[in-house]
Structures are given as structure tokens and as C-alpha cells.
Amino acid sequence: MANLKEIRNRISSISSTMQITSAMKMVSAAKLKKAQDAITAMRPYSDKLTELLQGLSASLEGDGGSEYADKRPVNKVLVVAITSNRGLCGGFNSNIIKQSNNLVSNTYPGKQVDFYTIGKKGHDILKKKHTILGDQSKVYDDLTFDNVAEIAELLMRLFTKGDYDKIELVYNKFKNAATQIVMTEQFLPIVGAEEDEAIAADYIFEPSKVEIVKELIPKSLKTQLFKAIRDSFASEHGARMTAMHKATDNAGELKDELTLTYNKARQAAITNEILEIVGGAEALNN
């Protein structure tokens, strides 16, 4: 059995860890509320914009689409892996890295698959095995639509220039504080609606449908990327809050076990001292 001093040191160490994890949980909970409100407010707008765009695109005849809808044989793929800059958030980052590697080995075997990372954790791991075209970890320092729009414009240029035939987004979609869903979402070429989902109402368009679609597509793509990063940002804080909650509970259980062990060891030491005293007294009497 470990000596009393060693057990006391372990109890003290675990108590300090509990204070840290508990504080991190509260910080993440506060940040989560703000991030959750932001993504909840944004989703209806983003979904409706995508629905309108897909419906209009599907209703156009002939070459009424856009350069962003150009479907080519897929030989070169760019995967945008969205992770976090910090750890201690359970499997949040490892799930994205696992899915990214799965795309390389299973979805696009034999194809050229490069990565564009948003988040330091994904960049640090993926660069060991794959080609990283660029990294935008600093976007989290000031997460605004304008800053994300610059990244979206870069991705759009890469596609229209023919550098890549397909661009995929891999990120965690926020469901609730305890649940994040790993999403693989096609960014480019844009995904059109089915023919029966096209806008069939007799609307009068001003300007023309083609001009409206060409105006909406860049805005929709920027919004799509911004929503994905917002989703990931909220998921990160939810995952960290959950992980720190579990870590605090586990530390509490370990502390209780060590306290019980300490009390047993202390009681055994006191009992041994009493027995030695009693034994010594009896020896003197005899």
C-alpha cells in the first residue's frame, strides 16, 4: 500500500485538476450559448437561400447555369477539413481527421486528394500524411462573414480555374451540447435540385432567372461555408463542455477512492502504533 504522503499528494493533484476542468466546463458553457444562438439563427436563412437557388437552377433550361455548376470527371479533389485550434474536446477533432482519411482511402482511391485546413489541430495532423494547400486557423480569432467570404472566394477560384474538379467540406454539425454529427458536404460543383423540385410557380423575374442565379450562387457558397464553420465552432464548445464535465466527474470519483484508501491506510497505521504500544507495555509487565 502506498504511503500516506504519496496518497495526500495524489489527492491534492486531483483536486487541482478538478478545479481546472470545472472552470473550463463553465467557460465552454458560456461560449456555447452565444455560438448556439448564432448558428440557430443562421440556419433558416441559409437553408432557404439554398432551397431557392437549387429550385431556380433546376428550372433553367440549357446553359442557364453557372461556372460553379460545371461537372467534370473527378480526378483532383480538395477537402476542406474544419477542426479547432485547441484540444481537450473529446473526439471532436479526431472524428474529422478520421473522416478525412476515409475520403482519401475509400471514397476517392487513386485520385489526387489535397487538403485545405481550418483549425490548427487538423492542420498539425493531416500535414504529416497529406498535401496541405493552405491553412486558415486564424479565422477563429475574428469569426465574421467577411473573413470567411475571402476563404470561399479562394475555393471558388480554385474550382473555376480547373485546379480541382470537386471540393468537399468535412465538419461537425451541431445538434446539441452532447452530440455532434460529422458531415461531408459537397461545396463545388453546386448541387442542383431534382427536376420535380424546381420552382414551378408562374413568377415574373426581374432581372432574368439566369442573372438572379449568377448573383445568388457566390453569396450562397459564402453562406454555406460560413454556416459550416459556425456549426463547427458551436460543436467545439459543446464537445469541450461535455468532455470537461466527464473529466470533472471522473476526477471526483478518483478523489473519493483515494480518500477512502488514505483513511484506511491512516487507520491501519494508527492501529499498528497502538498494537506496538500495547505490546511494549505487556513486555515491561512481564
Side-chain angles (χ1 to χ4, degrees):
M1 183 177 292
N3 60 54
L4 295 178
K5 183 177 180 181
E6 182 181 346
I7 297 175
R8 280 199 304 270
N9 289 339
R10 290 187 64 190
I11 292 174
S12 177
S13 176
I14 291 171
S15 296
S16 299
T17 301
M18 283 181 64
Q19 291 178 345
I20 295 171
T21 55
S22 180
M24 291 182 67
K25 173 191 169 184
M26 290 188 289
V27 170
S28 291
K31 290 183 177 180
L32 172 64
K33 180 64 171 64
K34 184 178 179 180
Q36 183 178 353
D37 290 344
I39 188 60
T40 302
M42 183 182 179
R43 274 179 183 164
Y45 169 79
S46 175
D47 293 342
K48 191 63 178 178
L49 180 61
T50 302
E51 178 187 335
L52 279 170
L53 179 63
Q54 289 180 344
L56 279 169
S57 299
S59 66
L60 294 174
E61 297 180 358
D63 189 27
S66 162
E67 57 186 345
Y68 302 116
D70 184 18
K71 294 182 180 179
R72 306 186 287 260
V74 178
N75 294 312
K76 296 179 290 184
V77 181
L78 181 64
V79 177
V80 182
I82 304 174
T83 57
S84 67
N85 286 340
R86 297 184 298 134
L88 297 177
C89 46
F92 174 83
N93 292 312
S94 60
N95 289 337
I96 297 299
I97 293 165
K98 181 180 179 181
Q99 178 62 13
S100 298
N101 288 324
N102 182 59
L103 286 175
V104 175
S105 56
N106 297 328
T107 307
Y108 302 111
K111 310 291 185 182
Q112 176 187 332
V113 182
D114 297 336
F115 285 86
Y116 195 93
T117 57
I118 299 175
K120 188 174 183 296
K121 290 297 179 180
H123 175 263
D124 291 345
I125 296 177
L126 290 172
K127 70 178 182 181
K128 297 177 181 178
K129 294 176 61 178
H130 308 289
T131 300
I132 305 296
L133 187 68
D135 175 58
Q136 286 289 344
S137 301
K138 293 182 179 180
V139 73
Y140 291 116
D141 297 338
D142 186 17
L143 187 54
T144 63
F145 181 82
D146 290 339
N147 289 337
V148 174
E150 293 179 5
I151 304 173
E153 288 171 357
L154 170 62
L155 297 177
M156 287 187 275
R157 285 197 300 271
L158 290 172
F159 179 78
T160 54
K161 285 165 54 182
D163 291 346
Y164 293 96
D165 304 313
K166 192 174 185 181
I167 298 179
E168 300 261 31
L169 304 179
V170 181
Y171 66 97
N172 282 292
K173 182 179 180 180
F174 178 80
K175 183 176 181 181
N176 54 53
T179 307
Q180 299 82 39
I181 304 170
V182 177
M183 299 290 293
T184 301
E185 191 174 279
Q186 183 169 317
F187 185 68
L188 285 167
I190 59 172
V191 180
E194 299 296 331
E195 291 184 5
D196 57 354
E197 296 177 3
I199 294 179
D202 188 16
Y203 293 121
I204 297 175
F205 295 94
E206 181 65 34
S208 67
K209 278 186 184 181
V210 174
E211 291 181 33
I212 292 174
V213 168
K214 288 183 177 179
E215 182 71 24
L216 278 179
I217 285 176
K219 185 174 183 179
S220 176
L221 289 170
K222 294 171 185 177
T223 303
Q224 181 184 357
L225 181 60
F226 187 53
K227 182 179 74 70
I229 297 176
R230 275 287 187 191
D231 253 318
S232 180
F233 190 61
S235 297
E236 175 193 349
H237 292 304
R240 183 171 291 111
M241 186 185 76
T242 302
M244 292 302 99
H245 176 73
K246 291 180 179 178
T248 302
D249 289 347
N250 292 338
E253 292 176 4
L254 183 57
K255 181 182 177 182
D256 291 341
E257 292 177 4
L258 286 173
T259 300
L260 181 61
T261 301
Y262 174 80
N263 290 336
K264 287 181 178 179
R266 186 167 175 268
Q267 185 178 20
I270 294 172
T271 302
N272 287 334
E273 290 178 2
I274 294 173
L275 290 175
E276 289 176 359
I277 292 171
V278 172
E282 289 182 355
L284 290 174
N285 291 334
N286 294 332

